[in-house]
Amino acid sequence: MEGVTLWLGWNGFILLLILYAIFLANKWQRVVIVGLMTFSSVLPVNFPGKLGYRMGSWLMSQAEKYFGLKTVIEDEDDLIRHSEHGKALIFAFNPHDMLPYSIFVFSPSLRRLPGKIGEDGCALMTSAIFKIPFIRHVYSWVGGESVDRQTFLGRLHNGRSLAFSPSNQSWPEVILHISLVLLAITSIRQGGVQEVLMLNPDMHHEVLLYLKNRKGFIKLALTTGSPVVPVFAFNLDGSYRYWLPRGPLVEKISRAIGFAPLVFIGRWGVPFGIPIPRKSHVVIGQGM
């Protein structure tokens, strides 16, 4: 549990830190908090290098136990064949749900996939993650990279596979750093905006997917000749309870800013805390 808290518990921690700095901290405490956040923001994202990656490997091993991770590969030989021909594979991960944390199955430290794919694969996520103090380092340690076009194409051209949760828009550029922090800790990834807006807490047995307009990555796959592998994670639903304001105005704002503003509650009723432990079962299909 400690490892999962250090990995996924930063949302709540940063929220509390900011609220403390605003309402309770004295002058010098505010200086220390702002200084630490600024220092984290200017350090290299992979700081402190090998030590950070060792920490990331430990975090992933703890998450593997916490979620009872189980993986099923429908055709392992098919993946190996593509890899041996120098092809990078695009693993299209669904569903997004509240947070698509099961995508950690692609962390190279777990070696859940065969051969070269398991050695240098990674999960791509919004570039906003790598602008948030502290969180930016943790996600780098566990093998995450930005889902920007340059990184996406760079990996494919170099024969390095990747996984990501398909989205239908790009994230807006963040102008004010503190605005990003406040927004990110009260929102979810943009890639799941449509799915989240369609969530119904009274229909918890339903798993929603919104794929109609998420085709941009298919063009990149065709351009680079990279096979697309469908991936589905079971039991993401129910990891969090949540409150999401409804209405046309909320939906319009969500689409405009790239976030669905909500409050989600994790284990022990902690807002923005770690997920309720559920057995994570990830099924990896064939390359197409």
Side-chain angles (χ1 to χ4, degrees):
M1 186 180 66
E2 294 84 358
V4 175
T5 301
L6 289 173
W7 174 37
L8 297 175
W10 283 97
N11 292 327
F13 173 75
I14 292 179
L15 173 61
L16 291 175
L17 193 64
I18 292 175
L19 292 176
Y20 178 81
I22 293 173
F23 297 108
L24 298 175
N26 59 38
K27 176 183 177 181
W28 293 111
Q29 289 172 332
R30 290 194 184 99
V31 169
V32 170
I33 291 171
V34 172
L36 288 174
M37 296 180 73
T38 303
F39 188 56
S40 173
S41 299
V42 300
L43 283 173
V45 69
N46 62 346
F47 177 85
K50 292 183 179 179
L51 180 60
Y53 291 129
R54 284 200 293 269
M55 172 63 77
S57 295
W58 179 77
L59 295 179
M60 292 294 90
S61 67
Q62 295 302 299
E64 191 175 32
K65 298 174 185 176
Y66 183 83
F67 294 110
L69 179 62
K70 178 181 179 181
T71 53
V72 174
I73 300 176
E74 290 189 350
D75 191 341
E76 186 169 314
D77 292 337
D78 176 67
L79 300 185
I80 294 174
R81 183 169 60 254
H82 285 303
S83 179
E84 289 178 344
H85 284 83
K87 294 290 186 181
L89 288 89
I90 301 173
F91 293 91
F93 181 95
N94 274 293
H96 187 285
D97 204 78
M98 203 60 51
L99 291 174
Y101 57 79
S102 288
I103 202 169
F104 82 96
V105 70
F106 294 98
S107 173
S109 65
L110 295 182
R111 300 293 175 90
R112 285 279 178 156
L113 278 78
K116 185 176 183 295
I117 303 172
E119 293 173 2
D120 63 9
C122 79
L124 301 188
M125 56 199 70
T126 171
S127 58
I129 288 290
F130 300 98
K131 295 183 175 73
I132 304 174
F134 312 125
I135 293 179
R136 63 196 297 265
H137 302 297
V138 174
Y139 277 87
S140 175
W141 298 343
V142 300
E145 294 185 25
S146 172
V147 76
D148 61 83
R149 183 182 179 89
Q150 181 179 357
T151 303
F152 202 106
L153 285 174
R155 289 191 63 89
L156 297 182
H157 286 310
N158 291 324
R160 302 171 67 202
S161 298
L162 59 90
F164 81 116
S165 185
S167 60
N168 57 349
Q169 309 178 54
S170 61
W171 276 62
E173 287 298 317
V174 180
I175 301 176
L176 295 177
H177 185 76
I178 190 65
S179 298
L180 167 65
V181 175
L182 291 172
L183 182 60
I185 60 181
T186 56
S187 310
I188 64 158
R189 276 193 55 190
Q190 171 289 121
V193 165
Q194 186 63 42
E195 288 174 9
V196 172
L197 291 174
M198 296 170 65
L199 287 174
N200 185 342
D202 297 323
M203 303 293 287
H204 57 83
H205 59 283
E206 291 187 349
V207 176
L208 295 171
L209 301 178
Y210 187 80
L211 303 173
K212 181 179 178 180
N213 296 321
R214 299 182 177 181
K215 301 173 183 176
F217 73 100
I218 298 297
K219 296 179 182 178
L220 299 182
L222 293 173
T223 300
T224 59
S226 303
V228 176
V229 182
V231 181
F232 195 91
F234 293 90
N235 291 333
L236 276 175
D237 55 305
S239 298
Y240 288 100
R241 298 190 298 277
Y242 60 90
W243 175 78
L244 173 65
R246 302 287 179 177
L249 179 60
V250 173
E251 183 169 348
K252 185 176 181 179
I253 292 174
S254 297
R255 293 180 185 281
I257 66 176
F259 293 92
L262 53 77
V263 175
F264 60 88
I265 300 171
R267 192 174 184 180
W268 302 303
V270 177
F272 311 108
I274 65 174
I276 298 166
R278 288 173 57 78
K279 299 297 182 182
S280 184
H281 185 178
V282 180
V283 179
I284 300 170
Q286 291 181 302
M288 295 184 291

